Amino acid sequence: MLNRIDLRGSTEDPRRLLPRAAIDVSVATEQVRPTVEAVREHGAAAIREASLRFDKVDVKQLRVPKEEIERAEAELEPAVRAALLESIARARKVHEDQRRTDTTTVLAEGGTVTQRWLPVGRVGLYVPGGLAVYPSSVVMNVVPAQAAGVASIAVTSPPQKDTGLPNANILAACALLGVDEVYAVGGSQAIAMLGYGFTDEEPGCEPVDMITGPGNIWVTAAKRMLRGTVGIDAEAGPTEIAILADESADPRHVAADLISQAEHDPLAASVLVTTSTELAAAVDAEVARQVAATKHVERVTEALSGPQSATVLVDDVEQGLRVVDAYGAEHLEIQTRDPRAVAERVRNAGAIFVGAWSPVSLGDYCAGSNHVLPTGGCARHQSGLSTQTFLRGVQLIEYSHDALQEVAAHVVALSTAEDLPAHGAAVKVRFDA
């Protein structure tokens, strides 16, 4: 089922040869521009109109009433409640350990620079609710924001046609996390709402300082439009899994993991990089067997047979490492001999899952790690969501008279070299008699 790419003996740049989903955010940006601008100009009225047009839902109240959030939590299935609480506890432990401490550097007697870490004031968190609904994404967005100390958190998720509200499990997850500002808004209109706010309906929505969370191409396009007006975490594309495996890997595990990400979206990418033609053939057989038994057969089949998915044959693990570094996968599994040693040599991946007992599914829910990760090769230069996403480094520069005098001549020399004499004058004036 998977396409086959043979890189054995190749010296070409793997980036030219590896599979990718064809996503053009710039085209989508122009398509969402009218919606985003309408929300900026007309607020809640434009949000309602967009929800009716795109989601086919006439939302009665954009902000979800508190009693609906409480009802969803009260009616939550016990097994799901237990799983969410465990997911929250593990994520909170990991993300609280990511908090940074202020540091002060003494450069001279009376001259210091203090690096402070301050949380973003208000954030808007987008939780998808289209092909699938993701209460786990509530956890992954809210927990690091709370760990960072963000004081104001708003969550938005698409309204469901049968209720006009976000999915009940999403609402319940918000309740378990103590978040009661939730909006029944999805798509580009949700991003515009968070960025611009609205006041033409009570209760209104205050604009946020930062927007995070994954979404479809329309959400991504709107985030690109709002970048600068607000901060964003990333432009998320379709999900990806890459697996670097040798002959020691179990083809059942590999096939199951490839399928697990393919069920997200027809554009999801599943890539196996292997040194073993025997494993590749066994995985193909297992994929065919397991896909036939899975729920979302059509979606999975389209993803696995698409140009974004493939089995890539390599000479050895060394070449495999070069290939996965070039690919920069959102999720990378290492299923080789001595997987930890191999994993520690990887430079480019959103998250690395080490060994046969660390599947991506674990990271999606209960590993304690964050599943909001860079896609489309952006892991070569970008990190996934973490507590640090919601922190800003602010420097405090404090010099005394003597400490400034000690370095004054250097400031004057550099300002003269840059033909900015007023910069030097601003120092010299302090020492003029």
Side-chain angles (χ1 to χ4, degrees):
M1 182 179 293
L2 289 166
N3 301 309
R4 191 68 63 91
I5 299 173
D6 193 341
L7 295 186
R8 291 173 296 182
S10 173
T11 58
E12 286 192 65
D13 183 345
R15 283 179 288 188
R16 295 176 175 273
L17 305 171
L18 292 171
R20 286 285 186 204
I23 301 294
D24 193 338
V25 178
S26 60
V27 172
T29 300
E30 291 310 307
Q31 293 177 318
V32 303
R33 187 178 299 278
T35 299
V36 171
E37 292 179 347
V39 171
R40 181 185 63 193
E41 297 298 324
H42 303 293
I47 297 168
R48 290 179 182 283
E49 188 278 330
S51 294
L52 185 59
R53 178 154 45 102
F54 298 125
D55 297 327
K56 306 296 187 270
V57 181
D58 185 6
V59 181
K60 301 303 180 185
Q61 190 171 336
L62 297 180
R63 181 163 174 173
V64 178
K66 188 175 181 180
E67 55 268 24
E68 294 291 351
I69 300 173
E70 292 171 346
R71 178 182 296 112
E73 191 268 334
E75 296 176 355
L76 186 60
E77 181 184 338
V80 178
R81 176 192 298 275
L84 281 171
L85 288 173
E86 184 66 23
S87 178
I88 290 167
R90 289 175 179 242
R92 200 176 297 286
K93 183 173 178 63
V94 169
H95 289 84
E96 286 181 351
D97 279 351
Q98 294 172 356
R99 286 187 294 199
R100 295 190 174 188
T101 57
D102 295 355
T103 57
T104 297
T105 303
V106 179
L107 296 120
E109 185 175 347
T112 63
V113 174
T114 297
Q115 180 75 59
R116 298 195 65 203
W117 294 99
L118 303 176
V120 174
R122 175 168 165 79
V123 299
L125 311 178
Y126 187 87
V127 179
L131 283 178
V133 294
Y134 297 98
S136 59
S137 285
V138 180
V139 178
M140 299 298 169
N141 280 272
V142 170
V143 167
Q146 290 178 334
V150 174
S152 179
I153 296 174
V155 171
T156 189
S157 190
Q160 305 300 298
K161 290 182 180 179
D162 54 343
T163 64
L165 298 168
N167 172 265
N169 285 341
I170 287 173
L171 293 179
C174 289
L176 293 174
L177 287 158
V179 175
D180 61 10
E181 185 180 351
V182 186
Y183 297 88
V185 185
S188 60
Q189 61 269 27
I191 303 303
M193 175 193 72
L194 293 172
Y196 297 121
F198 64 82
T199 57
D200 56 322
E201 178 181 295
E202 292 294 335
C205 175
E206 291 293 323
V208 303
D209 301 309
M210 184 175 196
I211 300 172
T212 73
N216 62 20
I217 190 169
W218 314 115
V219 170
T220 299
K223 287 169 77 174
R224 176 178 288 188
M225 278 193 66
L226 269 291
R227 184 195 291 267
T229 300
V230 297
I232 66 169
D233 54 342
E235 294 184 6
T239 190
E240 307 160 345
I241 180 174
I243 302 175
L244 176 57
D246 61 18
E247 67 279 3
S248 69
D250 187 325
R252 297 172 304 157
H253 298 171
V254 174
D257 294 349
L258 294 171
I259 291 168
S260 73
Q261 292 305 295
E263 75 174 340
H264 275 287
D265 189 308
L267 291 175
S270 294
V271 177
L272 168 61
V273 180
T274 183
T275 61
S276 170
T277 55
E278 291 79 9
L279 178 70
V283 168
D284 279 344
E286 276 295 325
V287 164
R289 185 183 69 80
Q290 292 183 33
V291 166
T294 198
K295 179 178 180 180
H296 304 292
V297 176
E298 292 184 8
R299 189 190 308 166
V300 169
T301 300
E302 186 174 351
L304 292 178
S305 60
Q308 73 275 15
S309 298
T311 293
V312 181
L313 296 175
V314 292
D315 289 313
D316 49 32
V317 170
E318 290 296 322
Q319 186 186 19
L321 281 166
R322 292 195 295 273
V323 168
V324 296
D325 271 339
Y327 186 70
E330 177 188 19
H331 310 95
L332 173 64
E333 290 186 1
I334 306 295
Q335 297 198 36
T336 62
R337 292 186 176 86
D338 200 359
R340 178 60 184 251
V342 174
E344 288 179 350
R345 297 179 61 199
V346 174
R347 297 189 59 82
N348 301 327
I352 304 170
F353 298 82
V354 183
W357 308 109
S358 305
V360 167
S361 299
L362 174 67
D364 282 342
Y365 300 117
C366 286
S369 57
N370 203 292
H371 76 202
V372 182
L373 300 165
T375 61
C378 291
R380 293 195 300 270
H381 55 78
Q382 187 174 313
S383 303
L385 203 67
S386 71
T387 301
Q388 294 161 32
T389 304
F390 300 97
L391 294 171
R392 298 160 296 131
V394 178
Q395 295 180 354
L396 275 63
I397 299 92
E398 186 175 10
Y399 271 57
S400 67
H401 171 283
D402 291 348
L404 177 59
Q405 190 172 47
E406 182 181 334
V407 78
H410 297 307
V411 174
V412 172
L414 289 171
S415 70
T416 301
E418 294 187 352
D419 194 25
L420 297 171
H423 282 62
V427 171
K428 289 190 290 184
V429 71
R430 285 166 163 76
F431 301 104
D432 290 345

